[in-house]
Amino acid sequence: MAYIKFKELAKYFDFKTEVNEESLQDYAKEYIDNDKERFVFAYKNSKDYIVFTDKRMILFDRDTLAVYYKKIHIIPYKSISSSAINYKPGKVELLFSLDSGYQLHINFIEMNHDKKERIKKIYKIMNSVNI
């Protein structure tokens, strides 16, 4: 008997609006360990959130179309095996390959120069953890 292991090849997220720590939903705040990590910034779209700390990213993937579910991905920066940042007009893409083989694409849309610099800041923090 043969088994095929299913693994989602890539997950894509688009984020537009930056959220400060005080405006985060309570369920998102619960996953930040204020004793061990520092909040850097967060983004949201109509249903999902992503929170960046100085140690990990916490991604809240919600679906309310057919059946309500919430999947929470907690990704320590040290588990990122390779990453890339792509700058495009009005957009920044963060591309990750994790140690598990999971691929993750996070897109930030409607970005001006200052917003792109903030994304570059978290990208540098992520890569400094792996040094």
Side-chain angles (χ1 to χ4, degrees):
M1 182 177 271
Y3 293 94
I4 297 173
K5 182 178 178 186
F6 173 79
K7 180 169 58 167
E8 201 170 45
L9 293 177
K11 187 76 175 177
Y12 295 86
F13 293 92
D14 291 329
F15 292 99
K16 178 180 174 182
T17 308
E18 187 170 354
V19 180
N20 62 30
E21 190 172 10
E22 293 78 34
S23 343
L24 272 179
Q25 296 289 330
D26 288 337
Y27 70 83
K29 290 178 185 178
E30 291 175 5
Y31 289 89
I32 301 171
D33 186 352
N34 290 318
D35 295 333
K36 297 181 181 174
E37 61 190 339
R38 181 180 52 85
F39 174 88
V40 178
F41 63 82
Y43 270 83
K44 71 175 186 169
N45 60 26
S46 60
K47 60 184 181 66
D48 303 323
Y49 277 93
I50 189 163
V51 177
F52 293 95
T53 72
D54 59 341
K55 304 236 185 298
R56 58 195 180 142
M57 75 177 104
I58 307 163
L59 183 58
F60 300 89
D61 180 10
R62 296 186 321 150
D63 185 7
T64 57
L65 295 177
V67 177
Y68 179 81
Y69 77 86
K70 185 181 346 177
K71 186 187 288 185
I72 302 165
H73 304 270
I74 298 176
I75 303 166
Y77 299 146
K78 64 183 178 183
S79 72
I80 298 172
S81 56
S82 68
S83 64
I85 187 168
N86 293 333
Y87 296 101
K88 297 181 177 180
K91 183 178 184 178
V92 177
E93 298 174 332
L94 294 178
L95 312 169
F96 302 105
S97 292
L98 305 178
D99 291 342
S100 64
Y102 189 77
Q103 305 273 318
L104 182 63
H105 298 221
I106 301 172
N107 302 314
F108 299 91
I109 56 176
E110 297 185 17
M111 294 274 111
N112 60 25
H113 176 73
D114 293 336
K115 291 178 181 180
K116 287 181 179 183
E117 288 297 313
R118 295 207 18 99
I119 303 300
K120 182 167 59 172
K121 174 185 173 184
I122 194 62
Y123 186 71
K124 287 180 176 181
I125 291 171
M126 288 177 180
N127 287 310
S128 69
V129 169
N130 290 326
I131 297 177

